[in-house]
Amino acid sequence: MSAVLLVGLKITDLSAWTALETGRRLLEPGHTLSRIAREQLLLFEPEPGGKAETFERTLGEAVRQSNFFVNPNKERYRFLTSSERGESWSPPDSAWGILSRVREDTRDDGLKARLLREHPMPGLGAIRRAKVWWLWSRGPDGTPAAPYFRETLGELRDQRHGLLVNPHAETAMLLHGATPWSRVDRFLIQPAPALRAAA
Amino acid sequence: MARVAVVQIPGVNCEYETARALEVVGLTARIVRWNEPASVWSEFDAYVIPGGFAFQDRIRAGAVAAKLPAVDRIAAEAERGKPVLGICNGAQVLVEAGLVPGLHPGRVEMALAPNRAPRREGYLCRWSWLGVTPGPGSSWYARNVRPGQVIPMPIAHGEGRFLTADPEVQERIEIENLVLYRFVAPSGGRAVRYPFDPNGATLQAAGITNRAGNILAFMPHPERATWLRQVPLELKNAWGESRRAAVGNWEALEGPGPGRILFQSLASNLLSPSAEGARPGREARS
Amino acid sequence: MQQLDNAHILPLSGQDEQALAKLLQREGLRLTPGEARRMLELLGRDPTRVEATIFDTMWSEHCSYKSSRWVLKAHLPVESPRVILGPGEDAGVVRLGVHQGVEYALVIAHESHNHPSQVVPTEGAATGIGGIVRDVACMGAEVIGVLDALRFGDPDGPRAAPVREIVRGVVDGIWQYGDALGVPNLGGDVFFSPRFDENCLVNVVSLGLVRADRVVRSRVPEAASREPYVLILVGKPTDETGFGGASFASAVLEENAEGQRGHVQVPDPFLKRVLLEANRAVLEWLHHEKVAFGFKDLGAGGIACASSELAAAGGFGMDVDLDRVPASREDLPPEVLACSETQERFAMVVPERVAERVLDFYNKTYALPEVYHGARAAIVGRVRPDKHYRILKSGQPVGDALVEVITAGIEHRRAERPRATAPPAEPLPPVEDHEAFFTRMVGRPNLASREPIFRYYDTEVQGRMLIRAGEADASVLAPVPGSKLGAAITVDGNPWWVAADPYWGTAHIVAEALRNLVAVGSEPVALTDCLNFGNPEDPEVFADFVRSVRGLGDAARALGPEGPSGPPVAIVSGNVSFYNESRSGRSIEPSPIIAGLGVFDDVSVATTFGIKRAGSVLVLSGPRQDRLGASQLRHALTGKTDGPLPELDFDRERRRIHATLDAVRSGCVLAAHDLAEGGLAIAALEMALGGYEAQGIGMQIPISGLGSTRPESRLYSEAPGFLYEVAKEHLQQFLGLFERWGVDVTMTGRTLAEPRFRILDGGHTLVDLDLESVQRIHADALKPLAE
């Protein structure tokens, strides 16, 4: 089991604000978007055969006290130890999410090397990166209409379709309802699937 | 007279020197704000989206600008055959808007991903070496380039790696010679390692065109190499020699630098179209 | 006059010293009890919270120069025929020259952003760039470059890990801000020393270009006595970020820096770029319409300081209405609205009749509210014909005083106690294996190539650059498109020299700055200084400061073309940063950092330090000395930085500098390089390696008979001097020119067709290395720091 750090801005997130403004212009009548939020996700894996408990306490201190992960002037964070994160990941109230990662290896070895230089923590394996966009949406039928919004605001296809993810560099998964962390972990660890040829 | 719009999207920061580079080759450049009335866009003969950080690269480099109505209008003018050049951030806009490589026009077929080089991430500013592979973009953007000619130009970007996840796109851009400019070694040979391959782009691509050859997404900065004075004295190349020989000679320093060839190519097409024969879209304009 | 509401009043009067100190601390104010009593005396009553915050900011060391002002005034030359505007406003202004009938001027500003960079390196350094750029922009200038002088701790010492994080964070902040802003990086310098382990220095310099007849002043214009004027605030919505920043910059860093991260401002280069574009249009229109106006950036102390200074400088008063200030939240207390240091804001005073037009430029043409959440221009105040300065909230005054009370200033006479004379430095052990030692020197952090750092910086944007950082001793650009007028700029400082001898160390830095300017062929016209020292309440620190300022002033007067009898190289802008010390109270090394500005009538003469061809002659000016105190050599051999500095003879140095200028300008020099840290050996190597790419040209340098007794001294003495590459056909002209200036030179070697770097002493070969292998050591040493 891995530990997770989610970092978002407490000042205005201009990317999310612009995504909202730009995204609204792409919607067909009857569909509304009330909010978009963005978080960076860092996954801290234990070394193979190890447990996150061996490094989580030190890691938690580094998150709180250093500049590696969080600038308290402008960011807020949620640090979830392997036990705190539970079995599954639920979106914020009435939102759903698009989780995206680069198509290449998601490991950030440079960050790990720098972190260990200052905060030795035996047992820490890979640090992986991803990004999550939370959307608060409503279709004509009153439901969040996630499939429609993902089609319109998710993977970029052309000037009218897609915005948040460029599928040539990134790959994405839907976070709708409670998503087992095991699926999220696999999504981050396994090689990105081949790009589905556009219809 | 040929009029070129230099598109000023908020966050762009190379509009003035780009306009000067266009003027020096005899074109008439005007800096046009992204929010000017819809009617202005059709007045121009060519469009340049300059470098910078349009909309702060929010979401992704070029992603927000690609959705602007102004880019829609420029795409429509490109459809009529007018040339569109995106430099650096402008290249990112064109790729995000699906205009390059444009195998299926309008469809996004590539990304400009973060640079990838061993132990060197992030923004990189340095002079690089370019070679030309003749293709559909040659007449608009590489006229007068000799075979084997090596052209030094500076790059300055953090996300300059042309990348496609679609093997078919990869194959077509290669077969159809859409990679007009690529990074090469100073000798002109293949750039196999950093810094000659500065960002890990597919096929060492520095500039990719659409099939018609009138749209070029170009990562280096020709406007920063348009005058000889801009060339580093110690560049190991005939350009460095010319630069050193020009110490003490202002007129020579105000003469052409290596990047001017790209603007000259554009200008010679726009100013004497007869030399190239009829261009699509020309009738529609007149 | 409306009464001040008691709810806003801070009851300070009638308290004893101790109670007052406690009260001030509880309110988060850094005023001393004595200063608080002075404030009560000036106001004649208890202050409101807003007023107390204003005094707290205005009387911070950062804003008030309360310890340093008299020293600076007593010693620094600030006027010369080149100077249009000296210290006093946000930036200095210097004549550049005339192109097509228009006179142009250069604008230069210099500041520190040390404490924020230590605490939150990326934002701290970025805000430093953002702030210095505003200082230049608000003079009406186009910003054409920035430089950064950085002092970091020991990257291999006991605090290596945090030091390396700070290096990386600061470099990130500089490129992330500067590159996005579209302002080229014109260079800077980096110095590593353990005494910066817990207090790094980030000094920033910005250069601007303006038509001499369009220099904008930061004051309400005199025309405000004839028609109504309003105050426009433009930019980012005001928030609580950076509240108390100036006081923070003026205090010692606390044990737990964690709690101080909230004082660091949040910068945004995108918004700055959009604002600069909009400002360009607004200023152009105001000039065209011949409207008198005032313009100022918002920095320390936010709205309150900017508006009161605008008013006071013009001799007017002002009403500022906080209800009209665009804010990020509705519940910000008045003192935060008035004094927070939210970035990316400007203030402008214009006649009421044009205010709507100005607002339209910002809000409609450049559509600020559409491109940045909450950003806009708004009218937030009104100029008063009397000298009353009032801040209103919900129609009630929350501050009300005469402007001269607010801007009265404060002064502290600090005690001085010169440090005890240091015991004589231990003699240096000899170097046994010169080649191995040289190879080690080349890779030392203070001597290795800076390229791994500066490749992150955009040096090319704006297309004006001729010679970049790392190619020559100064960066060179052609500021005015189409004109051969040129500018050169450098920034220098060596904390070890100044620690060893504050007066002469600082004078050496000035000389080095001037050498750097003439080595590229520019005529030195101005200097700026940023004086970074420890706690001024420590008499030894303050004595260092005074001696350093004297050295600066004397050198600036002595090294002008005609010497002390002629005009000085004037000091046109600057900044003092005190309280730089570690948590244990140990001061940083005294660190005056000096920027030099040079100009060219014809910039085409500019040249780099890279050697240009095989078979030319290498010539040295400046004899080598056995005084090796504070040198890189001494540190490498003993770990110490004490000992006597090389001698600096002002008159000889002046002649050497101006002879070099003549030589480069007349084209009889192929390359010129200042001798500084690492002396002749390192300077020669840098010339062989060239700035951009090595040319594969080697060199051979015999060092016998260069004025000192030991080979170590001849190789590594940091005595002032130059090494020149001279083509054989120009040698006679070159020698004649130096003879006319009365400057001795020595032929020291020649350049080779083969890529070898060779140093000979008598019959011995001390160093004989393949250029490519030594290049790799030089180029790669700092890579792990910048990855």
Side-chain angles (χ1 to χ4, degrees):
Chain A
M1 291 287 276
S2 304
V4 170
L5 175 66
L6 289 157
V7 182
L9 288 173
K10 63 185 185 195
I11 59 172
T12 305
D13 182 341
L14 293 161
S15 273
W17 176 67
T18 302
L20 181 68
E21 300 272 312
T22 307
R24 279 173 175 163
R25 291 201 294 270
L26 301 175
L27 300 178
E28 286 165 18
H31 296 82
T32 58
L33 193 58
S34 54
R35 195 182 155 209
I36 295 185
R38 182 180 62 142
E39 286 181 300
Q40 305 293 331
L41 181 149
L42 288 174
L43 186 75
F44 299 90
E45 292 183 279
E47 278 175 337
K51 282 190 179 317
E53 281 85 355
T54 59
F55 60 80
E56 282 175 335
R57 180 193 293 267
T58 324
L59 178 60
E61 278 300 297
V63 168
R64 275 185 289 279
Q65 305 233 324
S66 72
N67 288 316
F68 275 99
F69 304 106
V70 182
N71 173 352
N73 263 354
K74 58 175 192 180
E75 288 166 334
R76 64 166 67 92
Y77 67 93
R78 292 183 285 155
F79 178 62
L80 305 172
T81 61
S82 51
S83 59
E84 283 165 350
R85 77 172 193 172
E87 284 303 308
S88 62
W89 187 13
S90 294
D93 255 359
S94 59
W96 56 281
I98 296 174
L99 180 68
S100 76
R101 52 156 282 199
V102 294
R103 297 192 72 84
E104 286 123 0
D105 197 329
T106 57
R107 281 179 289 200
D108 189 336
D109 292 337
L111 176 65
K112 182 183 163 185
R114 288 169 43 220
L115 176 67
L116 294 186
R117 195 166 64 194
E118 206 165 333
H119 307 274
M121 44 188 98
L124 174 64
I127 305 179
R128 295 178 183 275
R129 282 184 180 280
K131 186 165 40 181
V132 58
W133 298 91
W134 299 115
L135 291 91
W136 284 259
S137 64
R138 200 160 293 281
D141 60 355
T143 68
Y148 168 82
F149 280 92
R150 181 178 179 181
E151 181 95 357
T152 313
L153 302 179
E155 287 93 332
L156 186 61
R157 293 213 320 277
D158 58 41
Q159 232 205 336
R160 298 298 308 168
H161 298 90
L163 174 66
L164 300 175
V165 176
N166 184 323
H168 291 279
E170 302 160 296
T171 183
M173 77 177 267
L174 196 68
L175 300 171
H176 204 190
T179 308
W181 277 110
S182 56
R183 267 191 65 207
V184 173
D185 291 359
R186 270 204 309 282
F187 171 73
L188 285 179
I189 294 166
Q190 290 178 354
L195 180 66
R196 281 181 304 130
Chain B
M1 191 179 82
R3 287 162 47 88
V4 186
V6 178
V7 189
Q8 186 184 47
I9 302 166
V12 148
N13 61 27
C14 304
E15 58 271 54
Y16 293 94
E17 59 270 34
T18 302
R20 285 196 290 270
L22 291 162
E23 297 269 346
V24 83
V25 296
L27 298 167
T28 304
R30 178 159 98 76
I31 293 170
V32 186
R33 279 194 329 280
W34 84 107
N35 59 355
E36 290 196 30
S39 58
V40 308
W41 298 101
S42 61
E43 291 169 17
F44 295 92
D45 303 297
Y47 305 84
V48 178
I49 307 179
F53 292 73
F55 284 97
Q56 205 159 18
D57 287 357
R58 292 175 196 157
I59 305 176
R60 264 187 323 285
V64 177
K67 306 287 189 195
L68 287 174
V71 173
D72 260 340
R73 304 223 159 78
I74 292 167
E77 299 297 326
E79 188 77 11
R80 298 164 65 199
K82 293 186 190 176
V84 179
L85 167 62
I87 300 171
C88 197
N89 191 226
Q92 294 163 336
V93 175
L94 295 179
V95 165
E96 285 279 331
L99 294 172
V100 170
L103 302 177
H104 304 83
R107 193 190 285 175
V108 176
E109 293 163 322
M110 298 196 93
L112 277 161
N115 300 351
R116 226 171 151 86
R119 299 173 71 196
R120 181 58 170 82
E121 288 173 359
Y123 197 91
L124 175 67
C125 177
R126 62 172 295 128
W127 280 64
S128 58
W129 308 92
L130 304 176
V132 168
T133 308
S138 293
S139 86
W140 275 115
Y141 298 108
R143 233 182 180 186
N144 303 327
V145 177
R146 296 183 314 275
Q149 186 174 343
V150 176
I151 308 168
M153 264 187 238
I155 59 163
H157 59 246
E159 291 90 16
R161 179 166 53 112
F162 282 100
L163 185 66
T164 179
D166 183 340
E168 193 192 315
V169 172
Q170 174 88 14
E171 197 179 310
R172 298 314 311 171
I173 60 171
E174 192 166 8
I175 292 174
E176 298 185 23
N177 290 320
L178 302 188
V179 182
L180 182 62
Y181 283 89
R182 59 185 91 214
F183 294 110
V184 296
S187 62
R190 184 158 175 261
V192 286
R193 60 177 176 87
Y194 178 87
F196 305 129
D197 172 4
N199 58 25
T202 185
L203 304 167
Q204 296 84 48
I208 297 185
T209 72
N210 63 343
R211 278 176 159 160
N214 64 323
I215 310 180
L216 171 64
F218 191 66
M219 283 314 298
H221 282 276
E223 80 283 8
R224 303 178 181 185
T226 290
W227 289 269
L228 184 59
R229 60 178 155 78
Q230 296 171 315
V231 174
L233 269 92
E234 279 133 36
L235 221 51
K236 244 191 189 170
N237 175 281
W239 282 106
E241 274 167 41
S242 307
R243 172 65 184 86
R244 291 192 292 277
V247 169
N249 181 346
W250 174 250
E251 282 67 33
L253 288 178
E254 274 291 273
R260 194 180 289 190
I261 203 161
L262 198 146
F263 296 116
Q264 267 163 343
S265 179
L266 188 62
S268 58
N269 279 278
L270 288 167
L271 296 171
S272 58
S274 55
E276 274 304 299
R279 278 185 286 119
R282 194 176 136 61
E283 302 74 17
R285 201 182 72 246
S286 52
Chain C
M1 191 111 284
Q2 280 168 295
Q3 281 299 304
L4 292 164
D5 185 341
N6 273 336
H8 297 297
I9 297 278
L10 264 185
L12 298 180
S13 49
Q15 310 270 5
D16 66 26
E17 180 94 1
Q18 220 174 3
L20 191 53
K22 230 180 214 159
L23 198 55
L24 290 166
Q25 197 188 10
R26 204 184 61 212
E27 291 294 325
L29 298 169
R30 294 183 196 267
L31 291 168
T32 64
E35 289 168 345
R37 273 195 288 272
R38 172 77 183 131
M39 168 176 70
L40 294 173
E41 197 181 299
L42 280 166
L43 282 170
R45 57 169 166 76
D46 277 325
T48 63
R49 275 202 174 73
V50 170
E51 288 164 347
T53 310
I54 293 175
F55 280 100
D56 190 55
T57 304
M58 298 278 257
W59 287 1
S60 67
E61 193 69 66
H62 179 83
C63 296
S64 70
Y65 295 85
K66 58 191 171 193
S67 306
S68 60
R69 186 178 294 277
W70 71 268
V71 184
L72 304 175
K73 276 202 176 302
H75 297 295
L76 300 186
V78 297
E79 284 172 6
S80 85
R82 279 282 181 178
V83 176
I84 294 176
L85 199 61
E89 289 222 18
D90 296 277
V93 185
V94 182
R95 283 174 221 288
L96 168 64
V98 177
H99 176 63
Q100 295 181 342
V102 179
E103 183 174 24
Y104 290 90
L106 296 168
V107 180
I108 186 168
H110 190 168
E111 261 202 2
S112 63
H113 222 238
N114 304 338
H115 287 177
S117 303
Q118 178 71 24
V119 175
V120 188
T122 304
E123 268 78 15
T127 309
I129 301 275
I132 203 68
V133 159
R134 275 196 312 276
D135 286 335
V136 164
C138 76
M139 308 298 293
E142 180 186 1
V143 183
I144 61 172
V146 293
L147 298 89
D148 43 84
L150 312 176
R151 302 292 177 265
F152 297 120
D154 183 352
D156 303 307
R159 289 183 53 84
V163 164
R164 284 168 180 239
E165 278 307 304
I166 288 170
V167 174
R168 185 192 161 99
V170 165
V171 171
D172 278 355
I174 291 168
W175 75 255
Q176 285 169 9
Y177 199 98
D179 295 2
L181 184 61
V183 171
N185 190 290
L186 305 179
D189 71 341
V190 187
F191 199 102
F192 299 92
S193 178
R195 298 229 333 241
F196 300 107
D197 274 3
E198 295 176 43
N199 194 129
C200 70
L201 301 184
V202 173
N203 280 201
V204 286
V205 179
S206 180
L207 184 66
L209 174 73
V210 67
R211 279 175 54 157
D213 60 346
R214 290 192 171 179
V215 175
V216 175
R217 303 300 297 268
S218 300
R219 62 185 180 208
V220 175
E222 190 268 327
S225 57
R226 292 187 295 276
E227 63 171 316
Y229 266 66
V230 293
L231 175 70
I232 290 176
L233 177 69
V234 58
K236 200 169 177 179
T238 298
D239 55 24
E240 63 271 53
T241 56
F243 180 63
S247 301
F248 166 54
S250 308
V252 173
L253 282 176
E254 285 158 15
E255 178 71 40
N256 179 8
E258 159 80 2
Q260 300 185 339
R261 290 197 277 179
H263 292 297
V264 180
Q265 305 88 341
V266 179
D268 194 300
F270 166 83
L271 181 56
K272 176 72 61 55
R273 172 71 195 182
V274 174
L275 284 173
L276 292 183
E277 273 306 294
N279 288 346
R280 185 198 293 260
V282 170
L283 265 55
E284 181 70 38
W285 183 81
L286 290 169
H287 286 303
H288 181 263
E289 299 290 313
K290 300 197 164 36
V291 175
F293 64 102
F295 193 37
K296 188 163 179 60
D297 78 304
L298 269 76
I303 295 170
C305 287
S307 57
S308 60
E309 285 175 15
L310 275 164
F316 290 86
M318 201 178 287
D319 277 346
V320 178
D321 185 352
L322 295 179
D323 296 328
R324 301 178 73 171
V325 170
S328 66
R329 294 197 342 225
E330 283 183 8
D331 56 348
L332 292 176
E335 63 272 16
V336 172
L337 273 173
C339 300
S340 108
E341 294 176 14
T342 303
Q343 294 295 290
E344 323 309 356
R345 297 181 299 168
F346 290 94
M348 186 178 274
V349 277
V350 296
E352 190 167 24
R353 66 191 156 87
V354 305
E356 283 304 320
R357 182 76 184 85
V358 170
L359 294 186
D360 280 354
F361 269 111
Y362 288 113
N363 297 336
K364 294 189 178 145
T365 311
Y366 288 88
L368 285 182
E370 285 171 39
V371 305
Y372 197 97
H373 186 255
R376 57 168 49 254
I379 298 171
V380 301
R382 174 174 284 278
V383 173
R384 296 170 61 110
D386 60 14
K387 293 196 173 183
H388 266 277
Y389 177 81
R390 301 196 308 162
I391 297 187
L392 306 158
K393 177 82 178 131
S394 313
Q396 297 290 318
V398 292
D400 184 345
L402 293 171
V403 277
E404 57 259 34
V405 168
I406 296 173
T407 56
I410 190 163
E411 185 169 293
H412 289 311
R413 291 278 171 156
R414 305 290 188 192
E416 288 174 59
R417 189 177 63 240
R419 292 180 194 279
T421 315
E426 290 165 33
L428 281 187
V431 170
E432 304 292 344
D433 177 345
H434 271 284
E435 188 165 293
F437 182 75
F438 175 73
T439 312
R440 263 177 49 212
M441 288 293 274
V442 167
R444 288 177 68 83
N446 281 335
L447 300 176
S449 168
R450 271 59 188 133
E451 181 168 341
I453 290 174
F454 65 65
R455 283 281 167 255
Y456 287 95
Y457 304 157
D458 191 341
T459 51
E460 312 292 311
V461 66
Q462 299 186 358
R464 294 177 157 110
M465 194 66 88
L466 271 84
I467 294 176
R468 298 142 192 85
E471 294 178 25
D473 290 340
S475 288
V476 178
L477 63 169
V480 185
S483 162
K484 61 183 174 184
L485 293 172
I489 190 160
T490 177
V491 61
D492 298 285
N494 182 322
W496 293 350
W497 292 352
V498 184
D501 187 330
Y503 179 91
W504 285 110
T506 306
H508 269 293
I509 295 170
V510 173
E512 186 187 352
L514 300 181
R515 287 199 301 276
N516 286 337
L517 293 175
V518 297
V520 298
S522 74
E523 177 194 345
V525 292
L527 299 167
T528 63
D529 61 315
C530 186
L531 307 170
N532 308 272
F533 285 77
N535 185 340
E537 299 156 42
D538 175 339
E540 289 191 334
V541 168
F542 200 68
D544 285 348
F545 174 76
V546 175
R547 292 156 80 192
S548 171
V549 172
R550 277 179 40 225
L552 168 58
D554 287 354
R557 270 184 292 269
L559 297 175
E562 297 153 41
S565 58
V569 187
I571 293 154
V572 296
S573 189
N575 174 234
V576 178
S577 170
F578 282 130
Y579 299 100
N580 293 290
E581 61 181 37
S582 71
R583 288 179 283 185
S584 59
R586 186 160 195 225
S587 162
I588 59 161
E589 276 134 351
S591 303
I593 290 175
I594 308 295
L597 179 63
V599 301
F600 300 83
D601 293 332
D602 177 356
V603 73
S604 70
V605 302
T607 190
T608 57
F609 60 52
I611 52 177
K612 307 293 190 298
R613 58 172 95 144
S616 39
V617 183
L618 296 170
V619 184
L620 173 81
S621 77
R624 303 298 82 203
Q625 301 179 19
D626 282 326
R627 296 165 67 97
L628 295 167
S631 66
Q632 297 296 318
L633 173 75
R634 182 158 186 82
H635 185 251
L637 289 175
T638 68
K640 295 196 176 123
T641 58
D642 59 347
L645 294 185
E647 269 167 22
L648 175 65
D649 178 318
F650 279 142
D651 188 55
R652 247 184 242 154
E653 181 67 2
R654 173 185 68 83
R655 284 183 279 123
R656 179 156 48 236
I657 285 169
H658 292 280
T660 302
L661 174 59
D662 279 359
V664 178
R665 276 209 285 217
S666 66
C668 63
V669 162
L670 288 171
H673 195 7
D674 150 58
L675 303 189
E677 287 88 354
L680 174 63
I682 295 296
L685 179 73
E686 287 171 349
M687 292 177 77
L689 297 180
Y692 223 93
E693 288 181 288
Q695 304 296 299
I697 303 169
M699 57 169 64
Q700 176 159 309
I701 305 179
I703 57 163
S704 31
L706 295 183
S708 56
T709 56
R710 305 172 55 172
E712 291 85 355
S713 316
R714 296 198 281 276
L715 285 169
Y716 300 106
S717 153
E718 295 178 4
F722 291 92
L723 189 59
Y724 315 89
E725 182 196 8
V726 184
K728 280 196 177 124
E729 64 268 28
H730 289 133
L731 194 57
Q732 283 318 311
Q733 185 192 348
F734 176 90
L735 295 174
L737 196 152
F738 276 77
E739 201 181 311
R740 277 196 298 283
W741 276 98
V743 177
D744 290 336
V745 295
T746 318
M747 270 172 284
T748 327
R750 58 194 168 89
T751 59
L752 308 174
E754 47 176 337
R756 301 294 300 179
F757 185 77
R758 214 172 274 151
I759 296 173
L760 313 172
D761 190 20
H764 307 281
T765 299
L766 298 186
V767 176
D768 185 2
L769 288 164
D770 172 49
L771 263 188
E772 203 182 314
S773 61
V774 67
Q775 191 263 343
R776 224 169 296 135
I777 298 167
H778 189 243
D780 290 353
L782 290 191
K783 272 190 183 167
L785 281 180
E787 275 169 12

